[in-house]
């Protein structure tokens, strides 16, 4: 948890951006029922938490352009607190959260029309909270019905997502510190899973994917992580070729690879790591050949990640290395595919590498933020996709700035097919790290777990 001044500074910046007579309304996330009498673990809305650091459900933040912040929160209630736990309450909230005012959430409908009255613009996140538009419509409708009595209804509504997404895209030092810690915890969890796999196989025990998932979860939680940042992928053998596979009950076999894509969430921030390792700790020849290729492509992507580069540069660097490697080792047939340029132009590599090399990461594992450079949005070009024939609109990709955070995650997935050398069949490899952009390059947050073949083999030897 950061000092309350961090959140106050973010709200002050938001207040500047919505104009002196604007008002911003941000609800937190609803509670979600899992099944009868049982909810999913509660997780606050990312925008709301970014601006408050407050994680109780049923809360709303209202920020006005003059820099005044009001929280609506669950009222103190001894009986409910016996069942559901401590509530901060509206008396303690202003002091603890550095807000100007706080009220019970039961007063929201009574207070909001008066707070909106006379403002010229209402800002809220569009299309993110079910029912929010209707709720705001009702407040505005109530004001409009009273214009003959002197109320002033705002003339415009604006999407708050764009403003907050831009703020969240560049991570401040508090965010970077939390993300580094999340990355360190997740790295430790990957090491633990690798070592458990080798140790159990050496002892002649049956190893299933869920055994390794259990090690991840144990390590996340014992370091204070609140949740996994997304459903952990623990994919043994051929399962690694299913991109959205989840940890299940597949057997982890000696001689096969295991792909683990898992990261913890810590204090609202995600980490996202993939490592691929031999179940028993020793790469076979073909596994190693493909692994070294993916690693080389990741190194090329890392080298292309720095302030001033485009978001697509790491992907393009990856594709160049992967496609050349695929031609060199015979995954792609030169006689059919042609040169490297042809393989890229025709997207021949797509048979084995079908996803992008990264995404923004932050509070959400696939974090918010435009992937297009805002100042160049009008520069549209079109191209015909080589594989689908679809016409795709291209806009200049985002220019990376210091403090942006993204993943770098190339892979190769070889499904058996005619003409594909059998030694590579069913091998799926991805290597994923989280990076913060700096002026001269990038800082990797997740390298406490190695990627180097010799280092992985060494740590799995015990
Ligand atoms: N684990 C989700 C992703 O890598 O994008
Ligand atoms: Mn990722
Ligand atoms: Mn991932």
């Amino acid at each position: 948890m950061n000092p309350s001044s961090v959140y106050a500074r973010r709200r002050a910046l938001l207040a500047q951006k919505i104009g002196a007579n604007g008002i911003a309304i941000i609800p937190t996330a609803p509670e979600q029922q899992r099944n009868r009498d049982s909810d999913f673990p509660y997780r606050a809305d990312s925008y709301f938490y970014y601006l408050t650091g407050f994680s109780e459900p049923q809360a709303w933040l209202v920020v006005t352009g003059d820099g005044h912040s009001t929280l609506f929160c669950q009222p103190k209630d001894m009986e409910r607190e016996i069942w559901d736990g401590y509530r901060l309450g509206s008396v303690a909230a202003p002091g603890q959260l550095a807000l100007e005012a706080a009220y019970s959430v039961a007063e929201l409908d009574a207070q909001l029309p008066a707070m909106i009255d006379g403002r010229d613009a209402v800002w809220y996140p569009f299309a993110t909270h079910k029912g929010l538009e209707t709720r705001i419509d009702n407040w505005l409708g109530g004001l409009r019905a009273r214009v003959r009595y002197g109320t002033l209804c705002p003339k415009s509504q604006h999407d708050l997502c764009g403003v907050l997404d831009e703020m969240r895209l560049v991570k401040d030092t508090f965010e970077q510190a939390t993300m580094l810690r999340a990355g360190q915890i997740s790295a430790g969890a990957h090491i633990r899973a690798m070592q458990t796999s080798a140790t159990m196989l050496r002892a002649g025990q049956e190893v299933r994917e869920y055994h390794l998932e259990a090690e991840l979860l144990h390590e996340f939680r014992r370091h204070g992580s609140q949740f996994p940042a997304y459903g952990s992928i623990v994919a043994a053998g051929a399962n690694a070729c299913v991109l959205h596979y989840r940890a299940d009950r597949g057997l982890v076999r000696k001689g096969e690879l295991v792909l683990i894509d898992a990261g913890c969430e810590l204090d609202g921030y995600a980490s996202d790591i993939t490592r691929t390792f031999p179940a028993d700790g020793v790469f076979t020849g073909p596994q190693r050949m493909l692994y070294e290729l993916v690693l080389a492509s990741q190194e090329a992507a890392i080298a292309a990640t720095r302030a001033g580069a485009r978001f697509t540069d790491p992907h393009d660097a990856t594709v160049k290395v992967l496609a050349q490697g695929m031609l060199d080792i015979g995954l792609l047939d030169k006689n059919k595919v042609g040169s490297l340029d042809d393989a890229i132009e025709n997207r021949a590599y797509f048979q084995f590498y079908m996803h992008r090399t990264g995404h923004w990461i932050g509070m959400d594992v696939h974090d918010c933020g435009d992937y297009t450079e805002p100042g160049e949005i009008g520069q549209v070009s079109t191209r015909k996709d080589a594989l689908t024939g679809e016409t795709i609109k291209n806009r200049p990709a985002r220019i990376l700035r210091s403090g942006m955070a993204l993943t770098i995650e190339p892979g190769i997935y070889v499904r058996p097919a005619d003409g594909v050398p059998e030694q590579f069949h069913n091998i799926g490899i991805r290597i994923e790290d989280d990076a913060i952009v700096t002026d001269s390059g990038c800082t990797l947050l997740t390298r406490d777990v190695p990627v180097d073949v010799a280092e992985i083999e060494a740590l799995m030897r015990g």
Side-chain angles (χ1 to χ4, degrees), residues 40-343:
F40 282 105
Y42 182 70
R43 201 251 189 205
D45 175 77
S46 295
Y47 292 132
F48 178 87
Y49 190 81
Y50 177 76
L51 294 168
T52 60
F54 186 56
S55 56
E56 286 185 27
Q58 298 189 43
W60 294 61
L61 173 69
V62 180
V63 177
T64 50
D66 54 3
H68 197 273
S69 293
T70 306
L71 181 77
F72 291 86
C73 61
Q74 299 179 112
K76 294 296 284 179
D77 179 333
M78 273 326 288
E79 198 197 331
R80 282 319 320 161
E81 290 183 52
I82 288 169
W83 288 89
D84 299 331
Y86 174 79
R87 294 176 174 188
L88 180 60
S90 59
V91 174
Q96 183 139 336
L97 302 174
L99 299 150
E100 280 63 43
Y103 302 100
S104 162
V105 70
E107 292 184 40
L108 194 67
D109 285 324
Q111 298 235 20
L112 256 288
M115 293 175 80
I116 297 171
D117 185 5
R119 305 268 161 201
D120 46 39
V122 183
W123 296 73
Y124 59 92
F126 286 4
T128 51
H129 296 76
K130 220 172 170 50
L132 177 59
E133 284 83 358
T134 309
R135 196 96 185 248
I136 289 176
D137 277 356
N138 288 341
W139 295 331
L140 295 179
L143 285 179
R144 201 167 289 138
R146 294 185 57 78
V147 286
R148 282 187 297 280
Y149 299 92
T151 60
L152 292 171
C153 193
K155 298 281 182 291
S156 62
Q157 298 184 34
H158 301 275
D159 186 10
L160 200 54
C161 292
V163 172
L164 290 174
D165 290 355
E166 281 301 298
M167 289 172 65
R168 282 173 52 191
L169 190 52
V170 175
K171 275 66 181 173
D172 64 29
T173 52
F174 293 94
E175 295 181 286
Q176 292 187 25
T178 307
M179 289 180 70
L180 175 60
R181 183 72 195 120
Q184 289 168 334
I185 295 170
S186 299
H190 278 261
I191 288 175
R192 187 178 174 120
M194 287 177 183
Q195 290 181 327
T196 299
S197 178
T199 305
M200 286 178 73
L201 285 174
R202 272 199 297 270
Q205 292 167 333
E206 180 180 279
V207 185
R208 292 192 180 265
E209 291 162 345
Y210 56 73
H211 288 120
L212 305 187
E213 184 190 22
E215 298 300 319
L216 299 168
L217 297 176
H218 179 92
E219 196 68 11
F220 291 169
R221 198 68 182 118
R222 93 188 179 89
H223 290 290
S225 149
Q226 292 83 1
F227 320 95
Y230 51 91
S232 306
I233 296 172
V234 180
N239 292 337
C241 294
V242 180
L243 295 181
H244 288 164
Y245 188 80
R246 294 286 288 270
D248 201 350
R249 60 189 316 281
L251 264 180
V252 174
R253 294 187 183 87
K254 196 169 181 306
E256 292 189 341
L257 293 174
V258 182
L259 182 157
I260 295 186
D261 181 346
C264 73
E265 179 177 305
L266 180 72
D267 300 338
Y269 287 81
S271 54
D272 185 5
I273 302 182
T274 308
R275 290 291 182 267
T276 310
F277 58 90
D280 55 347
V282 184
F283 283 88
T284 66
Q287 290 168 354
R288 190 189 178 116
M289 208 186 295
L290 291 191
Y291 186 92
E292 300 277 20
L293 174 56
V294 176
L295 186 56
S297 77
Q298 198 207 27
E299 277 160 11
I302 292 166
T305 304
R306 60 183 154 70
R310 298 271 176 180
F311 175 80
T312 41
D313 288 350
H315 179 74
D316 293 343
T318 289
V319 164
K320 228 180 222 167
V321 173
L322 285 181
Q324 182 64 59
M326 288 173 194
L327 290 165
D328 292 344
I329 63 179
L331 266 182
L332 291 176
D333 184 346
K334 285 186 183 126
N335 297 322
K336 287 194 187 136
V337 169
S339 67
L340 171 65
D341 288 345
D342 297 332

